[in-house]
Amino acid sequence: MESQRGLLFIALLVVSFLLFQQWQMDNAPQQPVTTEAAAPSEQPSEGADFIPQASEQTPTMENATKKGGIITLASDVLELKVDTQGGDIVAAKLLQFETEQGSGQAMPILTSDGYTYVAQSGLIGAQGDATNKGRAVYATENSNNQISGDELTVDLTYNNNGINYIKRFTLKRGHYDVNVEYIIENTSSDVANVQLYGQLKQDTYIEDDGSMFMPTYRGAAYSTSDSRYEKLPFDDIEDANLKTKTKAGWVGMLQHYFVSAWVPNPSTTNELYTSYLDSKGQAVIGFKQPSVSVAPGSTETLAATFYVGPKDQDSLAKIANGLDLTVDYGILWFISQPLFWLLIQIQSIVVNWGLAIICITIVVKTLMYPLTKTQYTSMAKMRKIQPKMQALKERYGDDRQKMSQAMMELYKKEKVNPAGGCLPLLVQMPIFLALYWVFIESVELRHAPFALWINDLSSMDPYYVLPLLMGASMWLMQKLQPNMATDPMQQKMMQWMPVFFTFFFLWFPSGLVLYWLVSNVITIIQMLIIFRSIEKAEEQGKAKAVKK
């Protein structure tokens, strides 16, 4: 073909346009919602009428064991703040992750300090843990609970009309999933009917940290037995009015690298729902487990799992079916997942993530070498028949039909496949995009250093050195390749292509630019080897012809 490099350039432009569109849909900042004090009679929208409202004021630590307050539950990786009024998780920090590299500050996920993002749970029904006076105020022995062994268990207790309620939180060392249990002991003379629910509530006006070249998603998601993973952007929650029953399932809220999720009992048929609180600009997604009857003198235990932490695919896959899909590689997941697995395996050997990227690039380029050889062999043959093609153009002029027929005959006679150089490009672009999403979505690369000034492979090169080197490598590749474009406009486009690519890559994750730079260097080496072998074969052919 005349402009195989043009095809690659156009493909990148199309990809950039699609990414920009996706960024506009998922990350366009919303206007802050002006909130006013809710009237006492205000009711949540349909689908959330059963949900107890969070307390309006934050209780103090001093009265935490009496009238409601904030207690701390902490493991080696997770710190939770729990409001004893209702037992909601009103704050969560990831102790092994920093807000900014080198800041020393633990990464906050859930919060109720100026911005609401909380995980609520409770019991509804005639004998639920909420009364007409408001949500239950649980009592607990300690306000500060730190893990000392492999497990931390904290009980919150409440008694009402002969029914004892225990809300139990269990944290495990090294784990981000929390087991939340409700133990209902019925000492009354009547049957107690209760139903467990859990939900995530978040303000929707916050701006995410995505950009045009690094689009990220902040919003809700859920899973059912029919659909393992569905995203539900905040803009759509108000109209979605999700209300579906499913075996197992889960509900969650996503942000870049991190996720929070409620996973109900996988053996029951659960109801998933959404709602939107207009007056506060808050989105809600949650679940309800089936109602349970607790006979007088008996005890029942209801449980669900709450996860708040990094998008670690192995851990998430063990917690719930499809929860690992929150690491969203898009339509190319079937390429991204094996590439990610290979990257992990290589990194476990070389330790450094930058070296792992270089190694995986070598592996990919080696596997693609037969296609690369086909591409440049085809290019060399096309270059060889250029004079004959020019003669055909001069002979047939504007008669396109005869020109086309003559060219096909020429290709057949010279054994040239004009499309032979396209296949490697068509294969390389999906791999490039798959790696793009691996580098964006994989929390393992967050704040991962390489060498020298590159201390975070998931963010752009602060000094633009890698993009400039990548552009220089493209320029060198262009000089080594035969320019078969005859149209002056195409020739100009080819000349400016390294500049355009360099501009695009200025904002790309440095890990991805490193991959592309190393890929270009390997391609240059392969080109030199292929062209030299072709020239050697031609010289040998001429020598044999002379001998004959």
Side-chain angles (χ1 to χ4, degrees), residues 460-479:
M460 57 183 279
D461 184 338
Y463 302 113
Y464 308 114
V465 175
L466 288 179
L468 291 175
L469 289 175
M470 190 278 304
S473 68
M474 287 197 67
W475 177 83
L476 180 57
M477 285 175 60
Q478 188 180 74
K479 291 299 180 182

Side-chain angles (χ1 to χ4, degrees), residues 26-27 109 115 117 200 202 206 208 216-222 229-234 250-261 285 309 311 316 322-328 441:
D26 290 345
N27 295 282
I109 302 298
Y115 174 76
Y117 182 9
L200 295 161
Q202 184 175 178
I206 190 171
D208 203 1
T216 57
Y217 174 76
R218 190 183 190 101
Y222 66 94
Y229 175 63
E230 289 288 341
K231 291 196 295 187
L232 193 56
F234 286 149
W250 52 264
V251 294
M253 285 191 173
L254 283 55
Q255 64 190 76
H256 197 195
Y257 296 126
F258 305 105
V259 58
S260 64
I285 188 167
K311 293 179 182 178
L316 294 173
L323 192 56
D324 57 317
L325 296 179
T326 54
V327 182
D328 192 356
E441 282 289 300

Side-chain angles (χ1 to χ4, degrees), residues 308-540:
V308 55
K311 293 179 182 178
D312 182 278
Q313 296 182 60
D314 290 338
S315 299
L316 294 173
K318 294 175 183 177
I319 295 172
N321 182 34
L323 192 56
D324 57 317
L325 296 179
T326 54
V327 182
D328 192 356
Y329 293 139
I331 60 174
L332 295 175
W333 59 269
F334 58 93
I335 302 177
S336 294
Q337 286 186 346
L339 285 174
F340 174 75
W341 177 86
L342 180 60
L343 186 66
I344 291 292
Q345 300 306 311
I346 294 174
Q347 194 276 336
S348 66
I349 299 173
V350 302
V351 181
N352 184 286
W353 283 104
L355 292 178
I357 291 173
I358 293 174
C359 290
I360 198 175
T361 308
I362 295 173
V363 171
V364 170
K365 294 298 293 183
T366 301
L367 293 175
M368 291 180 60
Y369 179 73
L371 294 176
T372 304
K373 186 175 181 180
T374 300
Q375 175 187 359
Y376 289 111
T377 301
S378 175
M379 184 180 296
K381 290 181 178 179
M382 289 290 291
R383 175 180 57 180
K384 186 177 179 181
I385 64 172
Q386 280 296 302
K388 296 181 180 180
M389 292 180 63
Q390 186 63 34
L392 290 177
K393 291 180 181 179
E394 294 175 356
R395 179 178 179 183
Y396 293 106
D398 295 332
D399 194 335
R400 294 186 178 182
Q401 184 175 358
K402 289 185 178 181
M403 177 66 182
S404 178
Q405 292 175 351
M407 288 180 64
M408 293 303 294
E409 291 176 0
L410 178 62
Y411 291 149
K412 186 177 181 180
K413 179 181 178 181
E414 299 291 338
K415 298 180 180 179
V416 174
N417 181 4
C422 294
L423 182 58
L425 295 176
L426 295 177
V427 172
Q428 188 176 5
M429 186 53 67
I431 293 176
F432 166 75
L433 289 176
L435 280 172
Y436 173 86
W437 288 112
V438 166
F439 296 148
I440 285 184
E441 282 289 300
S442 299
V443 68
E444 290 82 357
L445 290 174
R446 182 179 186 266
H447 295 170
F450 172 38
L452 302 176
W453 69 95
I454 304 296
N455 53 24
D456 185 359
L457 289 166
S458 67
S459 63
M460 57 183 279
D461 184 338
Y463 302 113
Y464 308 114
V465 175
L466 288 179
L468 291 175
L469 289 175
M470 190 278 304
S473 68
M474 287 197 67
W475 177 83
L476 180 57
M477 285 175 60
Q478 188 180 74
K479 291 299 180 182
L480 292 174
Q481 296 178 40
N483 188 354
M484 296 179 294
T486 57
D487 181 66
M489 183 62 69
Q490 286 186 347
Q491 291 178 351
K492 286 290 184 182
M493 186 176 70
M494 294 302 103
Q495 292 173 1
W496 281 96
M497 189 171 65
V499 177
F500 293 142
F501 266 68
T502 302
F503 176 78
F504 282 127
F505 275 68
L506 291 177
W507 293 276
F508 274 31
S510 55
L512 185 66
V513 184
L514 177 63
Y515 158 75
W516 200 262
L517 170 61
V518 175
S519 178
N520 284 353
V521 172
I522 296 173
T523 299
I524 291 171
I525 296 173
Q526 290 177 340
M527 287 171 59
L528 294 174
I529 294 173
I530 293 169
F531 288 156
R532 178 55 187 157
S533 64
I534 293 173
E535 291 174 1
K536 187 175 181 180
E538 289 178 352
E539 290 174 359
Q540 291 176 349

